[in-house]
Amino acid sequence: MTTLVLLRHGQSQWNLEDRFTGWVDVDLSAAGEAEARRGGELIAAAGLEFDRAYASVLTRAIRTADLALAAAGQLWIPLEKSWRLNERHYGGLTGLNKTETAARHGAEQVMIWRRSYDVAPPPLAPGGPFDFSRDRRYAGVQAPATETLKSTLERVRPYWDGAIAPRLAAGERLLIAAHGNSLRAIVKLLFGVSDAAIPGVEIPTGNPLVIELDQAQRPVASRYLDAARAQPLPAA
């Protein structure tokens, strides 16, 4: 067996302000930094060691990886970054306050945009402050104008298949520090969660999810290190 740990970043500044963030490069809040350190302390207490780590190209995920690995005494391991592990793109909702958006469009419609598997928010208009086509970290990438959880999974999958799965097959122990939706996509891939059920799978922030995989990369066991903040998991 080999071990994969998924770690969702902690509170960001825009989480604190109740805003849709998506691809916007917002840093962790002080509370989010504490969550990341706590995640690393839990990893150290569990005796988990890694050969390599992965993160998105967004600061809140990168700093979560760095803070957790530092707390676990493993900051020295290689950290690879990919835009394919980014949070879901929230399209025209990007930057908006969630409560105000619900008041304007209705809570039911906003929940459909946020949590359905294949319904996208309105697209982001080009040329605005959140036009990621001008961000050099996405050079050569066709930045989306909006995304669903389904399309998030579709852009995560090639990176999983090409970069992460071969490392697991070689027996490497891996940490992935990323976002609620990109990690939910990985959980769907690994556990075969149905389209209908995956929107209900919640991954707590700053709580390492440990997944033991067999040689065929099938989950044989999974657990959260902070049991008090655990959420229900798909059957391994």
Side-chain angles (χ1 to χ4, degrees):
M1 291 195 300
T2 191
T3 302
L4 171 68
V5 175
L6 306 181
L7 181 61
R8 182 181 177 184
H9 73 79
Q11 184 188 70
S12 73
Q13 290 293 339
W14 275 21
N15 293 147
L16 187 61
E17 297 171 17
D18 197 31
R19 300 170 71 181
F20 289 99
T21 311
W23 281 34
V24 180
D25 196 14
V26 179
D27 203 350
L28 295 173
S29 67
E33 292 173 348
E35 286 183 89
R37 293 189 188 96
R38 175 59 177 159
E41 291 165 358
L42 290 167
I43 286 168
L48 293 169
E49 295 184 343
F50 303 112
D51 300 296
R52 189 175 305 270
Y54 295 88
S56 74
V57 294
L58 299 174
T59 298
R60 58 194 186 273
I62 297 166
R63 295 197 63 228
T64 292
D66 285 347
L67 289 166
L69 288 169
Q74 300 180 61
L75 188 57
W76 58 272
I77 69 168
L79 173 63
E80 298 183 13
K81 310 175 190 78
S82 173
W83 68 272
R84 291 186 178 275
L85 295 175
N86 277 13
E87 177 59 290
R88 173 190 171 190
H89 191 308
Y90 279 103
L93 302 181
T94 301
L96 300 181
N97 178 276
K98 295 176 184 177
T99 303
E100 293 173 358
T101 304
R104 181 179 304 169
H105 297 283
E108 183 177 352
Q109 178 61 65
V110 172
M111 186 55 65
I112 290 171
W113 284 333
R114 290 183 65 184
R115 296 308 297 264
S116 64
Y117 181 61
D118 56 4
V119 177
L124 183 73
F130 308 127
D131 184 347
F132 304 107
S133 66
R134 298 179 296 182
D135 190 320
R136 69 189 185 96
R137 82 191 80 186
Y138 305 118
V141 174
Q142 182 63 51
T146 187
E147 284 185 309
T148 62
L149 176 55
K150 179 181 179 182
S151 59
T152 301
L153 185 151
E154 288 169 351
R155 51 108 161 142
V156 168
R157 187 191 293 269
Y159 191 66
W160 173 269
D161 290 342
I164 299 174
R167 297 286 185 181
L168 291 169
E172 292 193 17
R173 302 156 296 180
L174 306 180
L175 169 71
I176 302 176
H179 310 265
N181 283 296
S182 52
L183 294 180
R184 190 178 286 119
I186 290 171
V187 166
K188 189 179 193 306
L189 286 174
L190 286 176
F191 290 89
V193 184
S194 70
D195 295 355
I198 192 60
V201 174
E202 186 64 32
I203 300 174
T205 58
N207 191 354
L209 171 55
V210 182
I211 305 171
E212 303 291 345
L213 302 167
D214 65 15
Q215 290 185 336
Q217 297 184 13
R218 293 183 297 250
V220 295
S222 58
R223 71 190 191 280
Y224 283 104
L225 293 185
D226 184 352
R229 296 178 54 242
Q231 292 286 334
L233 287 166

